[in-house]
Amino acid sequence: MIIIAFSLNTSKILPRIFCRHFRHCAVIIPQIGAHSELHLYQFLRRKQIARLSLKCRDINVLRGHGWRFLYIPGDITVPKDAMRAMTCVNFTKRVIGMHAPLVQTPDALYRRLIYMLK
């Protein structure tokens, strides 16, 4: 299972101009084992991805701050070519293996994933 997180806020200028509702997306991959831990892969800039460790409680905190989560079935790991992504949406599409050239904003990605999950 992979979790795609969508945020309403960002510190970047261009997403504030071009994105309507959701302005950032991130990938959360659960690690299965003795310590059930979540790893959030957040796109910072090209060739710079931050990996943050989260607990289940942190998901509730993020949800309280306006984040939305989509749960996608399947086993997915972060591929090496995902580091070449130019945007957070491009990074997310590479991780989940989506080939949709017209999906360029977090809003469009959210709508496309909702449509695919129906």
Side-chain angles (χ1 to χ4, degrees):
M1 175 180 65
I2 187 169
I3 305 168
I4 308 295
F6 294 91
S7 173
L8 302 172
N9 300 322
T10 185
S11 62
K12 310 250 185 236
I13 294 171
L14 289 178
R16 287 184 189 179
I17 296 170
F18 292 113
C19 301
R20 292 185 203 165
H21 188 64
F22 295 117
R23 296 190 172 142
H24 185 66
C25 57
V27 177
I28 301 173
I29 299 177
Q31 298 293 80
I32 299 171
H35 305 288
S36 60
E37 198 172 74
L38 303 169
H39 292 291
L40 181 128
Y41 292 91
Q42 184 171 0
F43 179 85
L44 300 175
R45 64 180 61 93
R46 188 168 188 221
K47 295 186 180 179
Q48 191 171 9
I49 309 295
R51 189 178 106 183
L52 306 170
S53 294
L54 299 176
K55 301 289 183 194
C56 292
R57 176 190 161 287
D58 298 330
I59 296 290
N60 292 330
V61 170
L62 290 175
R63 187 174 285 129
H65 286 286
W67 286 63
R68 282 239 181 106
F69 300 97
L70 290 179
Y71 299 90
I72 299 174
D75 260 351
I76 298 175
T77 59
V78 179
K80 294 289 183 189
D81 71 332
M83 295 300 182
R84 295 185 312 193
M86 297 293 280
T87 64
C88 63
V89 175
N90 195 358
F91 174 72
T92 304
K93 288 190 318 185
R94 285 177 187 235
V95 169
I96 63 175
M98 176 188 274
H99 300 288
L102 297 178
V103 175
Q104 295 295 322
T105 64
D107 279 334
L109 180 64
Y110 183 79
R111 286 192 305 267
R112 180 70 171 243
L113 289 174
I114 289 291
Y115 178 76
M116 288 174 54
L117 291 175
K118 282 185 179 181

